Amino acid sequence: MSKRVRTAVFPVAGLGTRFLPATKAMPKEMLTVVDRPLIQYAVDEAREAGIEHFVFVTGRNKGVIEDHFDRQFELETTLETRGKNQALEELRKDLPSAGRTSFTRQQEPLGLGHAVWCARDIVGDNPFALLLPDMLFKGEPGVLKQMMDAYEERGGNVIAVEEVPESEISSYGVVARGDGPDSGFPITGMVEKPKREEAPSNLIISGRYILQPELFSLLADQPRGAGGEIQLTDAMQTLMHNQRFTGVKYRGQSFDCGSKIGFLTANVVYALERDDIRPGFVRELRKLDLEDQL
Ligand code: G1P
């Protein structure tokens, strides 16, 4: 039986240059989709999948992420005094339990592979989940939970993938697919940010992974790859010589909130799903007479 995945790593050290000036003093992971920060969605997804320990690889200017996952007594007392019990309960529900978060720093922006490697001592010799909080997923169950099901069946490493139009392929890691169902098929190759004509498929790596700890020793010596960065995909490609990689073409919808379009679209979709927001939001949208502009 495969060893249970209890730990998830969240790389949150990125500078967020695509969202300047919003991200000059505020981490991009704290940008909100409706009223929840992106990082909270990723933590919720991990929790749903049974994750117990949450490891954040942070950097300078990211202190508020740590504060976000802490108690805030002044605020809680105020909510209590005002009888806002539901808001209080929800705030508490969002928190991982005491002692179940760890924070480490990526001291230099050397790439995703390097960020993951920075978590090695905390993760230890255990399989772990990796969630890139820029990518927001709406799925039932969540994407990581779908991947856990494939992991229980096949073990090894599991990567969530999705199809994208050809024009977007070169912005992502891309996999080659072997035979098998969408819920779990062999990955036979992968490449980071290939030229469109060199991509092995239109299936991209979606930002959710279950990985084995042997990856860390490969990352330690990983030369720089695409964009001059230490790439996770390159180390995974090497690990593939010795270990199984399974792809899961997940059921659900994704929003690349690292891009403005993806982020804005997510806000609209999530707002329209909320019973407390939808009626008022739809009323205001109608007033805008958007049809002229769409
Ligand atoms: C990273 C990964 C890439 C993956 C992407 C998903 O790229 O390196 O393989 O497809 O996340 O968002 P980045 O977005 O950091 O350039």
Side-chain angles (χ1 to χ4, degrees), residues 178-200:
D179 286 338
D182 284 355
S183 58
F185 53 84
I187 289 178
T188 55
M190 60 181 87
V191 52
E192 183 66 19
K193 303 197 173 63
K195 288 194 189 120
R196 208 195 283 195
E197 58 281 7
E198 285 163 14

Side-chain angles (χ1 to χ4, degrees), residues 123-161:
V123 172
D125 192 22
N126 298 300
F128 62 102
L130 171 67
L131 296 91
L132 311 188
D134 278 2
M135 297 298 284
L136 177 59
F137 295 101
K138 245 163 66 51
E140 282 286 333
V143 173
L144 190 62
K145 175 77 181 70
Q146 294 178 35
M147 294 165 68
M148 287 290 192
D149 295 343
Y151 176 73
E152 268 156 37
E153 213 172 280
R154 296 173 57 91
N157 304 268
V158 182
I159 299 181
V161 301

